[in-house]
Amino acid sequence: MRPVNSSLYWKVCLINGAVLCAAVSVLLLSPARVSRQVVVSEALVLVAGLGLVLLVTAVLLRSALAPVDKVIREMATVQLGGVGRRLTAEGDGPGAQLVRSYHAMLERLEGERRSSSARALAAQEAERHRIARELHDQVGQSLTVVLLGLKQVEDRAPHDLRAELALLRESARSGLDDVRRVARELRPGVLDDLGLQAALAALATDVAAHGGPAVRRTFGPGLPELGHDAEVVVYRVAQEALTNVVRHARATRVELSLLRFGTGVALEVADDGCGLAAGTPDGTGLAGMRDRAALVGGTLEVRSRGAGTTVRLLVPTGGVA
């Protein structure tokens, strides 16, 4: 409960009460008296009048200033981006006008958050596409030239050097494969070509193909249509969650599911690995997943009870919130 002296309503009441009490005290104690000697009846009348004035003032001020106090309290809890609770206000008084202005401010903040989130997500994906294109067109082509050159040198080299050149060529080929894999992860063309479910299935297959645990996939029927931005966020969160499983969890079994949840979808990645220690702060990966979820109005929950970790993403329908 807020202190009395921090409420605008009570501040005004106390100020008015102090002024009225001072006025009555002056009337009672100064030479300007109602009668030459203050009698009990006069004092009772003055005190009763003071009480009545204070009561009427309190009632009038409460109706006028209560919305102001509500707005003050709610403004202290508004989150970045204009996420706040809506208040109720009736009439056309100053308090009601203040509440409506507060609601208009929240709407403007939420609108700006939506537009800025869309711009941020688009900028992130555009940068990923640019890097993927440069990896594929420049680094990939350079490594291809190196492979062809090593093959020609190997064919003309003395027999005792061919084994070493073959090792170098295989190392370059492995590097080329890594570059192509990174470029593919940065720009998941399958997401644009075949849709979210196919992209998630390909992602799960790649995890097992590159030495990770087998991923069991479950896709619910009749999933609602998501906006492009929301699909990108779902894919990226699944990608980061599976990457964390491969790098840190030491899991033997992973389950990936995409199911309907209310009017949106729920993505869940659960493993049977070592789990997270109690009180472990979010690393860069988890923080990035939370930021991406917020970009489309979604929520991310991470549960870890001893063995195993579950990452759950809830995304509403309609793209960026």
Side-chain angles (χ1 to χ4, degrees):
M1 183 177 179
R2 293 173 63 86
V4 172
N5 59 3
S6 64
S7 169
L8 179 61
Y9 168 75
W10 286 111
K11 283 183 178 179
V12 175
C13 285
L14 291 175
I15 291 173
N16 287 346
V19 172
L20 291 173
C21 288
V24 172
S25 299
V26 169
L27 184 60
L28 289 174
L29 303 177
S30 70
R33 300 178 180 278
V34 177
S35 59
R36 185 174 299 275
Q37 294 292 332
V38 179
V39 297
V40 176
S41 59
E42 291 175 341
L44 292 176
V45 169
L46 290 173
V47 173
L50 174 62
L52 180 61
V53 170
L54 289 176
L55 178 61
V56 172
T57 302
V59 172
L60 294 177
L61 287 176
R62 173 170 290 278
S63 62
L65 298 180
V68 178
D69 279 336
K70 289 181 180 179
V71 171
I72 292 174
R73 287 192 295 268
E74 290 302 319
M75 288 182 68
T77 64
V78 174
Q79 300 176 4
L80 182 63
V83 180
R85 186 171 63 92
R86 297 304 189 262
L87 305 174
T88 58
E90 299 178 356
D92 296 322
Q97 293 177 10
L98 178 63
V99 170
R100 285 192 287 271
S101 298
Y102 170 69
H103 290 170
M105 179 194 70
L106 290 183
E107 293 296 333
R108 290 194 300 271
L109 290 175
E110 290 181 357
E112 178 60 27
R113 179 180 65 86
R114 287 192 293 267
S115 61
S116 62
S117 296
R119 292 193 298 268
L121 188 60
Q124 288 177 2
E125 291 305 314
E127 184 66 12
R128 283 174 174 263
H129 289 184
R130 184 188 66 81
I131 296 174
R133 186 171 57 252
E134 291 186 359
L135 286 174
H136 182 273
D137 295 343
Q138 297 182 14
V139 181
Q141 290 182 5
S142 298
L143 287 175
T144 301
V145 172
V146 171
L147 278 174
L148 295 176
L150 286 173
K151 177 61 177 174
Q152 294 176 359
V153 172
E154 182 182 349
D155 292 338
R156 297 195 302 267
H159 183 74
D160 57 342
L161 294 178
R162 290 183 180 181
E164 295 182 12
L165 289 173
L167 289 176
L168 289 175
R169 185 162 53 86
E170 287 303 317
S171 179
R173 186 186 304 278
S174 176
L176 179 60
D177 291 340
D178 289 339
V179 167
R180 290 173 175 171
R181 176 179 56 81
V182 172
R184 187 170 59 251
E185 291 177 353
L186 286 172
R187 185 177 182 179
V190 66
L191 181 61
D192 297 328
D193 298 336
L194 300 178
L196 180 59
Q197 294 187 29
L200 292 177
L203 185 62
T205 301
D206 285 345
V207 170
H210 290 87
V215 181
R216 177 184 176 186
R217 306 185 297 268
T218 302
F219 300 132
L223 294 175
E225 291 291 333
L226 298 177
H228 177 264
D229 293 336
E231 288 188 345
V232 170
V233 168
V234 171
Y235 179 85
R236 294 301 187 195
V237 169
Q239 185 182 51
E240 181 65 31
L242 290 174
T243 300
N244 288 341
V245 170
V246 173
R247 290 179 179 176
H248 309 297
R250 300 194 297 273
T252 59
R253 186 180 70 256
V254 183
E255 295 185 1
L256 184 151
S257 64
L258 185 68
L259 306 173
R260 176 185 286 272
F261 183 83
T263 59
V265 299
L267 169 75
E268 191 167 282
V269 178
D271 65 75
D272 63 347
C274 58
L276 299 175
T280 302
D282 287 353
T284 304
L286 287 179
M289 286 192 284
R290 294 190 191 279
D291 291 341
R292 283 188 171 273
L295 289 178
V296 293
T299 57
L300 185 82
E301 179 185 2
V302 180
R303 300 192 304 269
S304 183
R305 300 177 180 176
T309 302
T310 299
V311 176
R312 193 166 192 248
L313 170 69
L314 302 180
V315 178
T317 304
V320 176

